[in-house]
Amino acid sequence: MFTRDACVGAASLCLAALPLTVGALAQDTPPFGFGSPTTQQELAKFFAIPPDGRGLPPGSGDATLGAKIYAQNCTSCHGDHLEGNPAKGVGGDKLIGGRGTLATKTPIKTVESYWPYATTLFDYVKRAMPFNAPGSLSDDDVYSVVAYILAQATIINPTETMNATTLPKVVMPNRDGFEPDPRPEMQLYR
């Protein structure tokens, strides 16, 4: 049971120890109080996969497993058959179809018709999907979902395995569909 004197004593001890704690924290704080040294583990969360696939992680996946992962994580936004969902708020883009439409008055931009590199698909899915839990899929899950999308778009054979070696070799239908940007100021960003 606590008495008034015991509570006052405990509070006095806490107040007496406060300057020591604040002093210890101040010594560990970098100049100006900005940040702290970044660990390799923290940096591992940030990555970019360029078109040639440098930095793709170990692991692999195929369309069969990808169909299951897609059904569990992607259908609410992108539809059961990758046809997209136009509903506001939860809707997601159509993922396949649209080849040959980009130069028409009604272009259909999909992974199949627009994206120039399959490695970009891995990068995007790994970073941003599923919409309600971005970054939650394992590398094998991402390879599998990518294989499923590419197989449904008939870009790869449904039995092919996607990994760090095979994915950069996939030739997307629109790989050569982009024009170099001639604006001189773009040199500042390369």
Side-chain angles (χ1 to χ4, degrees):
M1 179 172 252
F2 293 102
T3 65
R4 182 172 190 267
D5 290 339
C7 291
V8 170
S12 298
L13 281 174
C14 288
L15 288 174
L18 186 59
L20 296 173
T21 304
V22 170
L25 287 175
Q27 291 176 356
D28 293 337
T29 304
F32 309 111
F34 292 116
S36 59
T38 305
T39 66
Q40 287 299 318
Q41 185 179 12
E42 291 168 327
L43 287 175
K45 295 181 228 173
F46 302 97
F47 60 91
I49 308 297
D52 65 8
R54 278 177 287 133
L56 280 169
S60 64
D62 60 36
T64 301
L65 181 57
K68 294 175 186 170
I69 296 165
Y70 180 88
Q72 294 167 352
N73 296 283
C74 313
T75 55
S76 61
C77 294
H78 296 288
D80 291 339
H81 305 287
L82 301 94
E83 74 276 19
N85 178 353
K88 288 186 177 181
V90 296
D93 291 334
K94 180 178 184 168
L95 299 176
I96 61 173
R99 282 193 205 190
T101 67
L102 296 180
T104 69
K105 290 183 179 182
T106 55
I108 300 170
K109 285 185 178 179
T110 66
V111 169
E112 180 181 350
S113 70
Y114 185 73
W115 293 42
Y117 303 104
T119 53
T120 307
L121 181 58
F122 181 96
D123 186 86
Y124 185 75
V125 171
K126 181 68 180 171
R127 290 173 191 264
M129 296 292 132
F131 184 73
N132 63 342
S136 63
L137 297 176
S138 72
D139 294 334
D140 288 344
D141 290 347
V142 176
Y143 278 120
S144 297
V145 168
V146 167
Y148 176 66
I149 294 168
L150 295 175
Q152 291 298 300
T154 64
I155 296 170
I156 66 169
N157 186 310
T159 59
E160 287 186 64
T161 298
M162 291 292 104
N163 56 41
T165 302
T166 58
L167 188 60
K169 294 177 183 174
V170 172
V171 178
M172 298 296 283
N174 195 38
R175 176 171 272 189
D176 299 322
F178 287 83
E179 298 287 329
D181 188 342
R183 292 177 294 171
E185 68 271 18
M186 292 306 292
Q187 295 296 324
L188 298 173
Y189 302 102
R190 295 186 181 154

